[in-house]
């Protein structure tokens, strides 16, 4: 029975390590954007939101 708990502990440690790797990768990707990149993406999203709002409000 003690062996089962060791496997659960190992699986938990692997899960935590994997989660840390994913968070670090996401943060690196986010930091790679320049201010101009962020501004461009925000403007694009605003335009898309305005278009969908105007097409949905026509009824």
């Amino acid at each position: 029975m003690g062996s089962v708990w060791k496997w659960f502990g190992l699986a938990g440690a692997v899960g935590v390590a994997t989660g840390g790797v994913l968070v670090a990768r996401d943060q690196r990707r986010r930091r790679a954007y320049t201010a101009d990149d962020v501004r461009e993406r925000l403007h694009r999203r605003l335009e898309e939101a305005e278009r969908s709002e105007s097409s949905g409000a026509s009824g």
Side-chain angles (χ1 to χ4, degrees):
M1 188 67 171
S3 177
V4 172
W5 292 112
K6 287 180 187 176
W7 283 109
F8 277 128
L10 180 61
V14 168
V16 168
T18 302
V21 167
L22 294 176
V23 167
R25 184 177 64 183
D26 185 51
Q27 287 177 347
R28 276 196 309 270
R29 187 180 307 146
R30 210 174 308 133
R31 276 191 225 123
Y33 290 127
T34 66
D36 289 335
D37 291 338
V38 172
R39 189 176 302 110
E40 178 184 335
R41 288 171 56 113
L42 287 173
H43 282 281
R44 217 177 319 136
R45 288 176 61 188
L46 177 62
E47 290 172 3
E48 291 171 4
E50 289 173 345
R51 270 191 303 235
S52 76
E53 184 178 288
S54 66
S55 67
S58 63

